[in-house]
Amino acid sequence: TRDKIIRLSLAMELTIEECQQALNISGHSFLLPSNRRDSILIFAIEHKNSIIHCNTLLNKYGESELN
């Protein structure tokens, strides 16, 4: 799923460009800054947050955690 690719990207500390490429290769949509949840994910990836911290941020802003 898209969330699994994002989880792997966080765990591997990929750049946002590498994450976007992984999403594209796997046939999933890009992370879009205009989407609130995606914006939080972009922030977490750019700041090399852990999956746990990323889920904390998502939860704090009322968005669904990474599956």
Side-chain angles (χ1 to χ4, degrees):
T1 67
R2 185 174 188 253
D3 277 2
K4 286 183 183 175
I5 300 298
I6 296 167
R7 287 174 67 93
L8 283 171
S9 297
L10 286 164
M12 295 172 61
E13 296 187 355
L14 298 182
T15 65
I16 192 64
E17 291 82 13
E18 292 167 330
C19 178
Q20 297 284 39
Q21 185 177 18
L23 288 167
N24 186 43
I25 290 169
S26 64
H28 297 289
S29 60
F30 289 115
L31 292 170
L32 300 173
S34 59
N35 177 289
R36 182 178 171 148
R37 184 174 188 265
D38 284 2
S39 291
I40 296 165
L41 294 170
I42 290 168
F43 176 88
I45 292 165
E46 288 179 342
H47 288 86
K48 308 286 187 206
N49 292 155
S50 68
I51 295 168
I52 293 170
H53 188 244
C54 180
N55 278 335
T56 301
L57 285 173
L58 289 166
N59 197 11
K60 178 180 177 180
Y61 291 100
E63 299 294 333
S64 61
E65 294 182 1
L66 291 170
N67 296 325

